[in-house]
């Protein structure tokens, strides 16, 4: 399923000529690591983490 999501993201990014994805994730750390390993060749991915009461930028990945 992750590979199908990656393919769809890739198509969307290419069709709209987007260079950055903003990813908001609230879930188990292990799942976030797994997703990070699978979401390659996506351009820049800005990660956000939840810090009460909102999300803040935490890391910028260049894939």
């Amino acid at each position: 399923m992750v590979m199908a999501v990656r393919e769809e993201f890739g198509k969307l990014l290419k069709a709209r000529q987007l260079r950055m994805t903003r990813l908001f994730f609230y879930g188990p750390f292990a799942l976030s690591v797994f997703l990070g390993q699978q979401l390659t060749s996506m351009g820049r991915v800005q990660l956000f983490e939840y810090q009460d009461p909102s999300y803040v930028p935490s890391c910028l990945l260049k894939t």
Side-chain angles (χ1 to χ4, degrees):
M1 177 152 165
V2 173
M3 296 187 81
V5 170
R6 179 178 64 185
E7 286 181 29
E8 289 303 314
F9 266 144
K11 290 177 189 177
L12 182 64
L13 292 171
K14 192 176 220 180
R16 297 190 181 198
Q17 299 179 353
L18 301 174
R19 295 190 179 120
M20 181 186 289
T21 301
R22 290 177 177 90
L23 183 60
F24 296 81
F25 180 79
Y26 185 80
F29 176 74
L31 182 57
S32 67
V33 171
F34 177 72
L35 290 173
Q37 291 174 338
Q38 299 301 314
L39 296 177
T40 59
S41 302
M42 299 291 297
R44 295 184 302 163
V45 179
Q46 176 67 62
L47 303 176
F48 291 82
E49 66 180 84
Y50 185 73
Q51 290 184 359
D52 197 20
S54 64
Y55 284 87
V56 295
S58 62
C59 182
L60 177 63
L61 304 175
K62 298 177 181 177
T63 63

